[in-house]
């Protein structure tokens, strides 16, 4: 019987006896207790059936009529509030029970769960860590991700998923993203693909897969996806693939297109472009790029060798004879002759 029925019984009694003549019998306390007990039993029955929203409301009605109810009932009410995803309301009840001396495992676990579900573990981190170490691990992984500590975050997600293999797909998506940012994109790709296979065709998942494919040089597995989300990256990969196939003329053109779109590209890309220009017999265009790289501090063997080759093939070793002599002495000798 609900709290509304209790109110109805009281209302009927009050109405009946509002006149001088009162034919109603006195409402016995025993009857009231019986009605209230029935209301409590209803709340508990709903809780056992996992009807948490209804159970929480039933406990609410009971407690409205019985404010001095046993702390046990308040504990049950707080638990149902949490399960009904009203954990913000359950937290102060658990805290009040602890304040009044109930330090039982059930109460502390209940508070830990409510804090965890509401994202408020910072209010009692030790309690959350004690009762829900997996949840604490997940929070740590997410915190590290927010700090852009991707390597550490990926490892924390890994630990969490080892303990909770049936974790929500959202967690697996976050893990795949951190793997990608930690430059472990080869491991991220099958996770993104599995999520898509499982029905998640969200923009976030597809973009994540495109980025992982792009960074791992595997856009060929889904070129359309890479082209859609990262057209510049896809272009760079095409340039590199053509270079590996020794299609230097086409490769140089692809690098050209990429650099037109991304003028602030990494010096490494400009070095690759200069090399392809040389191999495409456009060494006259490659020379100033090699020189610019050296001017900006890249005196690596690869850059200097590239410049020496371009100078040599263009018959311009006189611009840096020592360099040509060092890397291509026979070519340099032939040019002098």
């Amino acid at each position: 019987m609900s709290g509304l029925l209790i109110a109805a019984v009281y209302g009927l009694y009050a109405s009946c006896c509002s006149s001088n003549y009162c034919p109603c019998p006195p409402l016995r306390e025993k009857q009231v207790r019986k009605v209230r007990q029935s209301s409590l039993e209803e709340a508990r029955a709903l809780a056992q059936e996992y009807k948490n929203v209804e159970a929480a409301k039933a406990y609410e009605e009971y407690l409205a009529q019985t404010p001095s109810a046993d702390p046990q009932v308040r504990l049950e009410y707080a638990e149902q509030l949490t399960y009904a995803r009203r954990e913000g309301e359950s937290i102060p009840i658990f805290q009040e029970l602890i304040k009044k001396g109930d330090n039982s495992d059930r109460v502390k676990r209940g508070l830990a769960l409510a804090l965890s579900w509401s994202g408020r573990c910072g209010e009692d981190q030790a309690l959350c860590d004690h009762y829900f170490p997996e949840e604490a691990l997940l929070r740590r992984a997410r915190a590290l991700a927010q700090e852009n500590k991707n390597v550490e975050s990926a490892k924390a997600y890994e630990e969490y998923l080892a303990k909770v293999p049936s974790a929500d797909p959202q967690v697996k998506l976050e893990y795949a993203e951190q793997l990608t940012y930690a430059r472990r994109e080869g491991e991220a790709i099958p996770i993104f693909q599995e999520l898509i296979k499982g029905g998640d065709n969200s923009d976030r998942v597809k973009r994540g897969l495109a980025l992982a494919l792009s960074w791992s040089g595997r856009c060929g597995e889904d070129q359309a996806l890479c082209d859609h989300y990262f057209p510049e990256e896809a272009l760079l990969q095409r340039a590199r693939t053509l270079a590996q196939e020794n299609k230097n003329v086409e490769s140089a053109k692809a690098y050209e297109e990429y650099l037109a779109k991304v003028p602030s590209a990494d010096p490494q890309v400009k070095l690759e472009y200069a090399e392809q220009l040389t191999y495409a017999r456009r060494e006259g265009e490659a020379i100033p790029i090699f020189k610019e790289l050296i001017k900006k501090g890249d005196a690596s063997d690869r850059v200097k060798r590239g410049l020496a080759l371009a100078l040599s093939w263009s018959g311009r070793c006189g611009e840096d004879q020592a360099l040509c002599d060092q890397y291509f002495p026979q070519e340099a000798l032939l040019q002098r002759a």
Side-chain angles (χ1 to χ4, degrees):
M1 187 181 295
S2 71
L4 291 173
L5 183 54
I6 298 173
V9 171
Y10 274 114
L12 179 63
Y13 181 74
S15 172
C16 177
C17 296
S18 60
S19 62
N20 291 330
Y21 173 70
C22 183
C24 305
L27 187 64
R28 296 177 183 175
E29 182 60 29
K30 188 175 180 181
Q31 288 175 300
V32 174
R33 281 201 304 272
K34 187 176 179 181
V35 171
R36 287 176 178 167
Q37 186 61 32
S38 176
S39 177
L40 178 58
E41 285 170 5
E42 180 192 351
R44 285 172 169 164
L46 287 166
Q48 286 180 334
E49 293 170 13
Y50 302 106
K51 295 178 178 177
N52 310 116
V53 173
E54 296 88 338
K57 289 182 78 173
Y59 273 108
E60 222 154 57
E61 290 171 17
Y62 173 77
L63 288 166
Q65 297 297 331
T66 319
S68 60
D70 190 83
Q72 170 66 26
V73 178
R74 295 183 183 279
L75 169 57
E76 294 169 17
Y77 172 46
E79 290 172 332
Q80 291 307 304
L81 282 173
T82 301
Y83 300 142
R85 296 314 307 251
R86 292 168 59 188
E87 54 269 19
E89 297 169 64
S90 69
I91 289 170
I93 300 173
F94 285 121
Q95 289 172 330
E96 185 64 25
L97 289 167
I98 291 171
K99 190 177 178 182
K100 288 184 175 177
D102 186 348
N103 282 291
S104 66
D105 195 67
R106 181 174 172 181
V107 173
K108 290 190 289 185
R109 179 180 288 275
L111 175 57
L113 182 63
L115 288 171
S116 178
W117 282 10
S118 61
R120 290 169 54 183
C121 268
E123 294 178 25
D124 197 332
Q125 195 65 54
L127 191 75
C128 287
D129 290 352
H130 176 71
Y131 285 101
F132 300 100
E134 292 83 6
E135 288 290 330
L137 196 55
L138 179 58
R139 282 193 306 278
R140 180 171 175 270
R142 284 172 169 161
L144 287 165
Q146 287 179 332
E147 295 168 13
N148 296 318
K149 295 179 178 176
N150 310 117
V151 173
E152 298 88 336
S153 176
K155 289 181 77 173
Y157 273 109
E158 219 153 61
E159 290 175 45
Y160 173 77
L161 288 166
K163 294 176 185 290
V164 190
S166 60
D168 190 84
Q170 170 67 24
V171 178
K172 294 182 180 180
L173 169 56
E174 293 167 16
Y175 172 46
E177 290 172 333
Q178 291 307 303
L179 282 173
T180 302
Y181 300 143
R183 297 314 307 252
R184 293 168 59 188
E185 54 269 20
E187 297 169 64
I189 289 170
I191 300 173
F192 286 122
Q193 290 173 330
E194 187 63 30
L195 289 168
I196 291 172
K197 191 177 177 183
D200 187 347
N201 282 291
S202 65
D203 195 69
R204 181 174 173 182
V205 172
K206 290 189 289 185
R207 179 179 289 276
L209 175 57
L211 182 64
L213 288 170
S214 178
W215 283 10
S216 61
R218 291 169 55 183
C219 268
E221 295 178 25
D222 197 332
Q223 194 65 53
L225 191 74
C226 287
D227 289 348
H228 177 71
Y229 286 102
F230 301 100
E232 291 84 5
E233 287 288 332
L235 195 57
L236 178 57
Q237 273 194 50
R238 182 170 172 272
R240 284 171 169 163
T241 301
L242 288 166
Q244 287 176 337
E245 295 169 3
N246 296 319
K247 295 179 178 176
N248 311 118
V249 173
E250 298 89 335
S251 176
K253 288 182 76 174
Y255 274 109
E256 220 152 59
E257 289 175 46
Y258 174 78
L259 288 165
K261 293 177 184 290
V262 190
S264 60
D266 191 85
Q268 170 67 25
V269 178
K270 295 183 179 180
L271 167 58
E272 294 168 17
Y273 173 45
E275 290 172 333
Q276 290 307 303
L277 283 173
T278 302
Y279 301 142
R281 298 313 308 252
R282 292 168 60 187
E283 56 268 19
E285 297 168 66
I287 290 169
I289 299 173
F290 285 121
K291 285 181 175 178
E292 185 65 24
L293 289 168
I294 291 170
K295 189 178 178 182
K296 288 184 175 177
D298 186 351
S300 65
D301 193 68
R302 181 174 172 180
V303 173
K304 290 191 290 184
R305 179 180 290 274
L307 175 57
L309 182 63
L311 288 170
S312 175
W313 282 10
S314 61
R316 291 167 56 182
C317 269
E319 293 179 24
D320 196 330
Q321 194 64 55
L323 192 72
C324 286
D325 289 347
Q326 181 187 349
Y327 286 100
F328 302 100
Q330 289 180 345
E331 288 283 339
L333 190 60
L334 182 61
Q335 278 192 43
R336 279 202 299 273

